[in-house]
Amino acid sequence: MDGDRVEIDGGVMEGGGQILRVSTALSCLLGLPLRVRRIRAGRSQPGLRPQHLSGLEMIRDLCDGQLDGGEIGSTEITFTPGKIKGGTHIADTKTAGSVCLLMQVAMPCVLFAASPSELRLKGGTNAEMAPQIDYTVLVFKPIIEKFNLTFDCDIKRRGYYPQGGGEVIVRMSPVKQLSPINLTERGTVTKIHGRAFVAGALPIKLAKDMASAAVRCIRKEIRDLYVNIQPVREPDNQAFGTGSGIIIVAETSTGCLFAGSSLGKRGKNSDRVGIEAAEMLLGNLRHGGAVDDYLQDQLIIFMALANGVSRVKSGPITLHTQTAIHFAEQLTKAKFTVTKSEDEDSTKDTYFIECQGMGLINSSL
């Protein structure tokens, strides 16, 4: 069997957990035995962290696969996938490891299961170095559903750094095939809204300060729109531990969505948190693309699996996106091309990501 294993170098390009997520999901979907070496070689603590391991174990369990080298700190794994099955799948990072990253690895797989699935994901919902669950619900979900799929995301409890303790339940039905997407018309911004939150021991005043600092920052650049950022205190029974942060979403006339977000931490001024999120949003709006910088790489695996040509207009191509494209091409028959957009005024740094998808068919439907 080892002769047929696809060899993945986990230390190239982005050199982090994303290589593992993309390659194991595609291995599972395509029935390709895999060996990943030099896992997270580019990180200060190389090898598997708890969230990567729980993601791998969930993938193994949802396809009755075989995983070797699956322990914390391991820098090499081999994975032999079986048949993808629906039903309830549980993953618990037991830390503040991101539930959103767990969702990223499992979701493409269960779309091609034989029956509906329920993913019970435990860990951090609003954690550093990962999308916040609010981003997943407000931006990722409506855009990803354009591939002709639907899912439901129920936030049972929010969890923050360092303990985690959050829980999200994702329910989805399988599809026969994914449709390609066309996200190339930016449109004009029609609405900006968001939420600034505190949980646990923190006073609501922090949320109000984050919200008003963010609004002031956005107003300097966008004067003619009402910016509605709600300060909220998470109910104690719906949040574990103490945390704070903000997410702001802009919607456009063509249905594009862009976001900016930031998390509070000890010693960080709440105005700073609000301004960071606002500046991130404004940066995402300036480049003229139709997706924000964080959605870019999350679309790649779906584009590779879809049946037909997908086109996405984006800002500068992130290293995460380049990495996702590299491994999607290595593992599937999909072909990507990235071209700089010429039609704009030359001040804009925009690109077209085009993909001829492989048209994966769910053989169990």
Side-chain angles (χ1 to χ4, degrees):
M1 194 70 209
D2 263 23
D4 301 333
R5 269 191 203 282
V6 180
E7 295 281 343
I8 296 288
D9 182 346
V12 299
M13 303 177 80
E14 186 268 334
Q18 188 214 13
I19 295 175
L20 210 54
R21 288 190 289 279
V22 171
S23 57
T24 46
L26 288 171
S27 154
C28 174
L29 283 160
L30 304 172
L32 295 169
L34 196 64
R35 176 184 284 108
V36 188
R37 292 198 163 106
R38 298 206 312 137
I39 292 169
R40 297 182 69 253
R43 296 295 184 260
S44 56
Q45 276 186 304
L48 296 175
R49 305 302 307 142
Q51 73 168 18
H52 308 111
L53 184 55
S54 46
L56 283 173
E57 289 170 344
M58 177 167 52
I59 294 288
R60 175 197 67 198
D61 296 345
L62 65 79
C63 71
D64 283 328
Q66 189 185 338
L67 173 67
D68 294 299
E71 50 264 343
I72 305 289
S74 168
T75 55
E76 182 173 326
I77 58 133
T78 57
F79 176 60
T80 311
K83 186 172 162 51
I84 303 172
K85 54 183 198 213
T88 300
H89 305 291
I90 298 172
D92 185 354
T93 66
K94 303 202 169 53
T95 63
S98 167
V99 295
C100 304
L101 296 179
L102 290 174
M103 193 190 309
Q104 271 184 35
V105 66
M107 193 170 164
C109 301
V110 294
L111 282 172
F112 290 86
S115 59
S117 301
E118 179 176 286
L119 306 173
R120 291 181 165 261
L121 310 174
K122 299 176 184 183
T125 58
N126 300 77
E128 292 280 5
M129 306 299 293
Q132 295 192 42
I133 191 65
D134 308 81
Y135 182 90
T136 301
V137 172
L138 295 171
V139 178
F140 174 81
K141 181 182 189 303
I143 303 291
I144 223 76
E145 287 183 338
K146 295 179 191 285
F147 284 101
N148 196 25
L149 61 104
T150 53
F151 72 96
D152 179 54
C153 182
D154 182 8
I155 305 169
K156 286 287 180 213
R157 194 170 56 249
R158 289 168 180 271
Y160 311 99
Y161 182 81
Q163 310 105 308
E167 182 176 8
V168 172
I169 298 177
V170 180
R171 297 181 187 88
M172 57 199 316
S173 293
V175 295
K176 183 75 189 166
Q177 210 170 29
L178 294 174
S179 306
I181 58 164
N182 190 321
L183 295 174
T184 52
E185 296 300 322
R186 208 323 260 283
T188 54
V189 179
T190 53
K191 187 178 171 190
I192 298 178
H193 59 98
R195 73 194 298 268
F197 66 86
V198 290
L202 300 173
I204 187 75
K205 179 183 182 322
L206 291 183
K208 291 176 178 166
D209 290 349
M210 286 189 274
S212 45
V215 170
R216 283 195 304 273
C217 182
I218 293 167
R219 286 254 166 81
K220 287 182 192 153
E221 238 170 275
I222 301 173
R223 293 183 186 82
D224 49 351
L225 272 185
Y226 174 62
V227 181
N228 178 19
I229 303 175
Q230 292 288 320
V232 291
R233 197 189 138 66
E234 308 292 6
D236 286 340
N237 62 342
Q238 287 167 35
F240 184 79
T242 296
S244 65
I246 182 170
I247 177 159
I248 318 164
V249 177
E251 300 182 16
T252 76
S253 52
T254 54
C256 296
L257 297 164
F258 301 84
S261 64
S262 183
L263 290 169
K265 53 175 176 243
R266 189 173 302 212
K268 186 171 171 186
N269 177 311
S270 42
D271 281 24
R272 182 77 238 135
V273 181
I275 290 165
E276 262 179 18
E279 286 179 341
M280 185 191 290
L281 174 68
L282 293 168
N284 274 317
L285 290 172
R286 271 183 216 115
H287 58 50
V291 297
D292 73 26
D293 298 349
Y294 294 92
L295 195 63
Q296 244 186 54
D297 70 287
Q298 297 179 58
L299 295 172
I300 299 302
I301 190 168
F302 294 95
M303 292 168 75
L305 296 169
N307 181 32
V309 177
S310 292
R311 289 190 83 213
V312 175
K313 190 178 192 183
S314 74
I317 308 295
T318 65
L319 184 55
H320 267 96
T321 298
Q322 292 169 30
T323 307
I325 289 173
H326 176 84
F327 289 101
E329 288 192 326
Q330 185 182 339
L331 291 160
T332 70
K333 294 182 177 64
K335 188 76 198 91
F336 285 85
T337 49
V338 175
T339 48
K340 191 151 173 32
S341 161
E342 297 303 337
D343 53 82
E344 299 284 322
D345 57 75
S346 55
T347 58
K348 295 256 195 268
D349 203 8
T350 49
Y351 296 80
F352 285 106
I353 306 171
E354 192 168 283
C355 173
Q356 173 65 58
M358 67 171 290
L360 186 65
I361 291 172
N362 187 341
S363 53
S364 25
L365 283 191

